[in-house]
Amino acid sequence: HNEDVRMVCMKHEKMFDVVDLDPYGSPSILLDSAVQAVQEGGMLLVTATDMAVLCGNNGEVAWSKYGAYPLRAKYCHEMAVRMLLQSIENAAIKYRRHIVPVISLSIDFYIRVFVRVYTSPIATKEAPCKLSYVYQCVGCDSHELQPVARTSTKGNVTKYLPGAGPVVPQRCTECGWHYNMGGPIWSEPIHDDEWLKNVKAEMEKNKDRYPGFGKVHALLTTAQEELKDVPLHYDVHSMGGTLKAVPPNMWLFKSAIVNAGYRVSGCHSNPLGIKTDAPAEVLWDILRCWIKEHPVKEQQEQTPGSVILGKEPKITANWTRVTAAQSKARREGVARYPLNPAENWGPKRRAGKPARDDSLE
């Protein structure tokens, strides 16, 4: 067509089986028209490369583009994926449409989401229930999600009500510091298990046809294994840094969580990330138990770490290693986080910017 893609989409309402948006930077101005162009049940593929904005370097810019405020936390890449999904959903509901994510990934220096688009006035009423605000403690890694809305069902009648809150007090119960609030983000599952399984099986049957098999297969493997109903994740090394201590290795830490009666998994967007339905207080209690057995130097001034360590753990950590704490891929030696293909892997210079000539210095 050789014209503005927004005009093409609006002229062909519900016509295309697949619409793939891959602009240089943010796709935000294209979403409104793209959700109209996808046919019923069709696919919308969206890539965003403005990760500095999505990860919190310019919160006000992220708000103007995506209608959500990012937080600078270890889970920022997954939060970026969920911010993009909520932005697509908000574009769709204006036209009585909604999205169903099938694969949503943080890859190197960009994010890539695959969603189905459907028309349903009833389903659009559920949109606020799929979104949540995030409360992030500025002192430690503790975070909580606050749903934007909730449902109340009596008999055959379902009502949509404002979210009940607040879910956190003014001060963090673990370290005493205050919270920052970000979002809203998509808080429903970001992958479809059946899709991941089928795509992965198709790749394995045709391995020779995919030059990037190792990278893509690893991404699908980690996405397939992470807990689907747990938004965002914790970073074990970051939590250890808060306490000025070397944390237990990943298998040991995960085993303690499983032995405490909770589920745990890895995270595709961060090799050091863990997803778990255990509350933050349980994770800190496990680390308190670890430091009782592996003492650290006492901190002279009051810090989030010193406040956390000043409390006695309410549970006793069980360090017995369990198989359930290790992913199936890890046990079978399947690659999950392959190294980048080249040094300084990432986006190149913006088009038109001259290369630096070191010989002139």
Side-chain angles (χ1 to χ4, degrees), residues 11-30:
K11 289 177 182 177
H12 300 83
E13 185 177 348
K14 296 183 180 179
M15 180 173 287
F16 300 113
D17 297 307
V18 178
V19 173
D20 187 353
L21 303 178
D22 191 1
Y24 188 97
S26 171
S28 59
I29 62 172
L30 308 175

Side-chain angles (χ1 to χ4, degrees), residues 74 139-141 235-247 284 287 291 299 303-306 308-309:
K74 292 297 182 180
C140 66
D141 285 45
D235 186 293
V236 180
H237 283 207
S238 177
M239 297 179 79
T242 299
L243 303 178
K244 303 292 189 292
V246 177
W284 288 121
L287 290 174
I291 290 174
Q299 300 176 34
T303 64
S306 65
I308 291 171
L309 292 178

Side-chain angles (χ1 to χ4, degrees), residues 55-76:
C55 288
N57 284 3
N58 301 96
E60 66 283 2
V61 177
W63 179 265
S64 66
K65 290 184 175 181
Y66 299 98
Y69 211 93
L71 295 170
R72 298 196 66 176
K74 292 297 182 180
Y75 51 68
C76 63

Side-chain angles (χ1 to χ4, degrees), residues 78 82 132 143 145 186-193 223-233 262-266 275-278:
E78 183 183 347
R82 294 179 178 275
S132 296
H143 60 263
L145 268 68
W186 179 272
S187 50
E188 290 289 293
I190 60 176
H191 312 299
D192 180 277
D193 280 332
Q224 192 176 29
E225 293 185 338
E226 66 184 19
L227 294 176
K228 305 299 184 294
D229 58 344
V230 179
L232 309 181
H233 60 267
Y262 299 95
R263 295 177 298 143
V264 66
S265 76
K275 284 179 172 265
T276 178
D277 56 354

Side-chain angles (χ1 to χ4, degrees), residues 86-159:
Q86 75 83 28
S87 188
I88 300 171
E89 174 79 346
N90 283 337
I93 59 176
K94 289 182 285 186
Y95 306 100
R96 299 187 297 175
R97 313 197 83 185
H98 68 102
I99 65 169
V100 177
V102 292
I103 302 176
S104 312
L105 300 169
S106 169
I107 308 169
D108 294 330
F109 49 86
Y110 63 94
I111 55 177
R112 176 83 160 155
V113 300
F114 301 70
V115 302
R116 288 282 196 187
V117 182
Y118 299 96
T119 304
S120 172
I122 296 177
T124 57
K125 294 181 180 180
E126 299 175 359
C129 303
K130 303 174 185 176
L131 309 178
S132 296
Y133 291 100
V134 183
Y135 288 94
Q136 173 65 53
C137 175
V138 300
C140 66
D141 285 45
S142 302
H143 60 263
E144 295 287 344
L145 268 68
Q146 166 72 67
V148 175
R150 57 193 169 93
T151 59
S152 175
T153 304
K154 290 183 179 180
N156 296 325
V157 179
T158 299
K159 292 185 177 181

